[in-house]
Every structure is written in C-alpha cells, then in structure tokens.
Amino acid sequence: MDSRVKQFMAKIEAKNPAEPEFHQAVMEVAETLIPYIEEHPRYKHAKILERIAEPERIIIFRVPWMNDKGEVEINRGFRIEMNSAIGPYKGGLRFHPTVNLGVLKFLAFEQVLKNSLTTLPMGGGKGGSDFDPKGKSDNEVMKFCQSFMTELNRHIGPNTDIPAGDIGVGGREIGFLFGQYKRIKNEFTGVLTGKGLEWGGSLIRPEATGYGAVYFAEEMLKTKGDSLKGKTCVVSGSGNVAQYTTEKINELGGKVVTLSDSAGFIYDPKGIDKEKLAYIMELKNIKRGRISEYAERYGVEYFNGERPWKIKAFAAFPSATQNEINEEEARLLISNGCKVVSEGANMPSSPEAIEVYLEHKILYGPGKAANAGGVAVSGLEMTQNSMRLPWSREEVDRRLQEIMKNIHSTCVKHGSEENGYVNYVKGANIGGFVKVADAMLAQGIV
Ligand code: NDP
C-alpha cells in the first residue's frame, strides 16, 4: 500500500475504532483519490478528503416499543448526516440486526460519492436500526416505525434530509414512517422516498436499483460489443434489488439461475422466468418466507448456508449485502468464465475480491456507480413531489437509463488507463469526488 494511504488510514482507524466496514470503504476510496489529490493541490490544502471522511452530524437515539406479547423492546436508531455540500442529505434506512454505527458510516460515506455521480443535487446520508423486521407482525413493525419516526422527525425534512428504504425497509415500512411524520408535523411533504404511488411515490422507484445495475452492466458490455442477451447470470439476494435485477435481465434475454437469502441459495438451471419471479415476489414481499421454499416448489437444488458464486455464469449481480464475495469466490467466478460483475448491493466484494477483478481486467461496476439508479429515481421522486406532478413510467425509465449512461461515461472519463482498460473503481471515486470537493471549496471551511 502507498505510504500516504497508510498514514491517512492510520488516522481514520484511530479516530473511528472498531468500525471495520467504514475503514474498508474509506480505504477503497483513499487508494484511488490520494494520488489524484496529489496532482490537484487545492483539494489537498483544503483537506477535502479528511473532511469528507468525517460526518457532518451523527444522531443516535433510543427506540422503545411494545411487542404483541405486551413486552417492552428497545432498539437503537441512527441517522448519519454525512455531507450536504451539493444538496440535502439523502440515503436509505436499514433495519437489520447487523446495523451498527460503523456499517451506517460506511454506507453514508459511499452514498456521498454515489449521489454526486447521479448528477442530481443530493448530499449523502444513511440511517437505520438494529431492529429485525423478520418474524415480526405488521402491528409490531408499525409500532417500531412509529417510535423510530417520533424521534427522527425532528432531524429530517424535505429540504434537510430525505431518507429512503434499504435492507429491511420497503414499501410497508416507508408507509408507516411517512404516516407518523405527517401526523407529527401536520404537513404532507416529500420527506421520504419510496412512497406508494397513491401518496407521492414515483413509478419505477421499486425497480430502479435492480434495473439500473443491469443497465450499467449493459453499458459496460457495449464497450466490448457484447450484451446480456442469451447469457447466464448469477444473482444473490431475493429482496428488492435482486427481484428487479432478475426482471430486467429476463427482459433483455438473459437467464438468471440463482437467488439467495441469508440462509442459502437456490440453483435453477432452466432459469427464473417471469412466472417463477412472480412466485418469488409473493413469497418474499407478502408471505415473507424463505428462498428454500422455491426449491421445494420447483424441484431444484437448494444449497443451505452457501453463496451462489460457485455456479458457472457470464455475469454476476451481487444484490444482498456487504462483503458477500471474498477473494476465493472472486477467483471461482473468473475461472468459471465470469466477464462482468455489476454490484446491486453496497460493497458486496471484499478488497481482495476487487483486486482479483482488476487483475483479470474483467468489467467490474462498483456499487456506488452500478446501484446508483435507486437513489437517482429517489431524486426524481423528489422532483415530482416538488412539482406536485407525476411522470409516466416511460418518462422515469428514460431518465433512469440516461442517468446510468452518464454515470458510465463519467467512470470511463476518469477511470480509463493507458492500456485501454477502464478501472470503474477509480472512475467512480474520482468522478463522484470532484463535484463534492469543488462545492466544498466554494463554500469555505464549514
Ligand atoms: P431487501 O431487504 O429487500 O433484501 C435483502 C436481501 O439480501 C434479502 O434476500 C436478504 O435475505 C439478503 N441479506 C440481507 N442481509 C444479509 C446477510 N447478512 N447475509 C446474506 N444475505 C443477506 O434489501 P434490498 O434489496 O433493498 O438491498 C440489497 C442490497 O442493495 C443492500 O446492500 C443495499 O444497501 C443495496 N442497495 C439497495 C438500494 C435500494 O434501492 N433498495 C439502493 C442501492 C443499494 P434475508 O431475507 O434472509 O435477510
């Protein structure tokens, strides 16, 4: 590792102890940005990198609620307001037992550069709780969301901080959160995105992250004169991002052969077609069941406690969670002929896995570029809320495709190497950084 990166990281680690995911996210960015900043001293003198690694504000709060048995439960709530140089804080809420300060800081840090890449005026933030919606009744989820928003409401607003969904926060949770915000503030505003269509939501928002990750893969493939048509793909996860990634791959003539959840994965060599995907959506979004039930229903193999990366495929779409592909799995993917990795999830590849992709010069779209479609359409939802005028499905999808194309061009502009290889990690980090850094320079030392 470059000694300048080492020095920088030593300070970050000392200041943010016991936050390995945050260190990992900052290091990945520092490795590409520090050499760039050396060439652009104005960023160095103003300590922009040091400043963007320090959240503007962190809010931590108690979330007490009563379960169906009449017992009091206590969770911890967080909101990280990371950077507001180019717009109000924007980023999702995650409800999952693994949520802690370090995980949310990594997500908020990534979000700042990602939001900048979309070209829309959005700063970066992230929040959530260690609450686990799995196994809870609708009533319990509502009680929790109401208590969570009773505190969060005083920190957010349509021009201040606009949360959205993430793992464990889908349409149901956004509904409960919005209802409580509206009740407390007595105003109907676009304070959250991912809302229902009847009450301020945008068409294509549920689809946006998954569709965007596939559009990004197609853009990368175009540079090689190739496409996903007729290709086998492995997808992990079976939530929002995985579902719409599968839908778009099917639409473009590809074949998805795996999906997973935290317990294991299913392998369906015939492909998860439209009808089978409808079954998954019902299973996951309504019945809230397990992916193993798919294997029983369709008579395919289920791999308990395993991840899908050992299955032979042309393209991989990690769409579950952070660090779900390690070095060995990255090597396995490549030795099985994988040419494209497009990250629907945030930081799903370990640093060692990323090194393997770059060493083999495959097309690798890091999350902050490849999954930016979700927040981009959240930005479009905010625009529609401000205009009080909804756009058609075609209009939003057209804008989403255009944004993904632009993000791809930005990555090519900043990430092209002399030998012609596009390092999308470098491209996304520098492309996202410049706009935020220039705004911070213009706004002085704040
Ligand atoms: P969902 O909650 O809808 O789905 C998450 C999926 O990932 C589920 O299948 C879940 O399985 C699985 N999963 C969650 N945690 C783990 C874990 N620790 N190990 C293995 N599997 C796990 O979330 P989303 O689809 O919204 O989010 C997926 C990823 O995409 C996340 O990294 C998120 O940050 C990222 N992302 C999401 C965006 C969005 O718009 N929703 C935008 C940009 C990025 P199980 O049900 O068993 O928990």
Side-chain angles (χ1 to χ4, degrees):
M1 196 199 300
D2 187 315
S3 63
R4 294 165 302 184
V5 177
K6 235 185 201 159
Q7 259 180 2
F8 175 75
M9 285 312 301
K11 284 190 196 152
I12 293 285
E13 283 167 24
K15 210 168 182 190
N16 305 273
E19 295 178 359
E21 293 87 359
F22 180 59
H23 305 163
Q24 184 182 335
V26 174
M27 187 165 84
E28 187 245 276
V29 167
E31 277 178 336
T32 51
L33 277 184
I34 287 179
Y36 178 81
I37 289 170
E38 288 291 329
E39 290 165 21
H40 299 82
R42 63 184 189 282
Y43 300 138
K44 192 175 170 184
H45 295 146
K47 296 222 168 130
I48 301 289
L49 186 59
E50 289 80 349
R51 278 155 67 188
I52 65 169
E54 184 67 25
E56 286 179 15
R57 187 177 301 110
I58 295 178
I59 300 140
I60 302 182
F61 50 99
R62 180 172 67 202
V63 190
W65 55 283
M66 191 172 277
N67 69 22
D68 289 347
K69 289 184 257 166
E71 296 159 350
V72 176
E73 300 220 17
I74 298 122
N75 288 99
R76 186 170 290 171
F78 302 87
R79 187 71 183 163
I80 318 291
E81 296 185 335
M82 198 74 187
N83 194 300
S84 61
I86 63 168
Y89 310 107
K90 177 95 198 94
L93 296 172
R94 176 176 290 191
F95 292 170
H96 195 271
T98 56
V99 162
N100 58 41
L101 184 59
V103 166
L104 294 179
K105 277 167 70 181
F106 118 63
L107 289 162
F109 181 76
E110 290 274 293
Q111 196 81 45
V112 173
L113 301 178
K114 179 189 307 189
N115 291 3
S116 163
L117 278 172
T118 66
T119 69
L120 302 176
M122 298 181 289
K126 200 85 189 186
S129 173
D130 57 359
F131 172 75
D132 187 358
K134 239 180 273 155
K136 304 284 191 304
S137 69
D138 285 351
N139 183 53
E140 288 175 321
V141 172
M142 181 178 74
K143 291 271 174 56
F144 172 80
C145 288
Q146 289 179 340
S147 179
F148 185 85
M149 185 52 87
T150 301
E151 173 59 33
L152 187 69
N153 85 85
R154 65 184 98 236
H155 308 289
I156 62 176
N159 298 310
T160 313
D161 184 351
I162 306 94
D166 190 75
I167 292 178
V169 179
R172 174 182 61 170
E173 290 75 17
I174 294 289
F176 295 149
L177 291 164
F178 183 79
Q180 184 72 352
Y181 182 89
K182 183 165 65 63
R183 188 176 180 199
I184 294 171
K185 296 276 190 175
N186 191 27
E187 60 183 36
F188 194 113
T189 53
V191 68
L192 291 158
T193 57
K195 299 185 290 299
L197 276 183
E198 306 80 5
W199 40 281
S202 172
L203 285 157
I204 304 282
R205 176 62 190 92
E207 294 89 338
T209 308
Y211 279 18
V214 179
Y215 292 148
F216 197 82
E218 283 285 81
E219 285 302 312
M220 292 196 289
L221 280 164
K222 251 192 233 164
T223 65
K224 305 275 177 204
D226 209 342
S227 77
L228 289 170
K229 194 162 190 220
K231 306 291 198 318
T232 298
C233 303
V234 281
V235 177
S236 65
S238 48
N240 171 272
V241 179
Q243 292 170 13
Y244 289 104
T245 295
T246 304
E247 182 168 286
K248 187 49 79 177
I249 293 171
N250 283 342
E251 266 177 48
L252 296 178
K255 180 166 83 167
V256 174
V257 294
T258 65
L259 283 174
S260 70
D261 59 23
S262 44
F265 81 92
I266 54 106
Y267 173 44
D268 185 345
K270 289 195 187 131
I272 299 158
D273 61 18
K274 198 171 172 182
E275 179 223 312
K276 292 172 181 168
L277 180 60
Y279 168 80
I280 293 273
M281 288 182 171
E282 160 112 11
L283 176 70
K284 284 288 170 183
N285 309 347
I286 297 163
K287 294 190 183 144
R288 303 191 186 267
R290 308 308 296 157
I291 198 74
S292 55
E293 295 170 48
Y294 179 102
E296 286 158 31
R297 169 90 153 75
Y298 292 104
V300 302
E301 264 184 292
Y302 171 65
F303 296 81
N304 193 35
E306 291 190 53
R307 302 192 284 221
W309 316 122
K310 63 180 183 185
I311 301 297
K312 191 173 162 56
F314 172 80
F317 291 86
S319 311
T321 192
Q322 62 271 13
N323 291 324
E324 53 167 320
I325 305 183
N326 62 26
E327 178 179 358
E328 194 190 331
E329 290 163 319
R331 291 201 188 280
L332 206 53
L333 276 172
I334 288 173
S335 64
N336 278 330
C338 179
K339 299 279 186 282
V340 192
V341 175
S342 189
E343 294 183 340
N346 283 308
M347 207 168 77
S349 305
S350 72
E352 298 77 21
I354 296 173
E355 260 177 52
V356 173
Y357 307 148
L358 299 181
E359 178 195 320
H360 287 84
K361 304 215 176 317
I362 65 162
L363 298 169
Y364 165 55
K368 67 171 78 67
N371 72 35
V375 72
V377 174
S378 273
L380 301 180
E381 182 173 328
M382 287 161 66
T383 308
Q384 295 169 77
N385 289 165
S386 300
M387 298 189 306
R388 300 192 190 280
L389 202 65
W391 283 327
S392 68
R393 195 179 164 83
E394 292 69 29
E395 173 73 17
V396 181
D397 195 29
R398 185 186 62 72
R399 287 176 187 266
L400 169 63
Q401 290 188 48
E402 199 177 290
I403 290 170
M404 296 316 294
K405 262 193 189 141
N406 286 339
I407 296 175
H408 181 266
S409 315
T410 304
C411 291
V412 171
K413 180 176 164 202
H414 294 284
S416 291
E417 294 179 347
E418 275 169 19
N419 57 14
Y421 177 63
V422 181
N423 180 336
Y424 288 90
V425 178
K426 186 174 160 198
N429 287 343
I430 298 176
F433 173 77
V434 171
K435 189 167 138 193
V436 176
D438 287 343
M440 288 173 75
L441 283 180
Q443 291 167 24
I445 302 171
V446 288

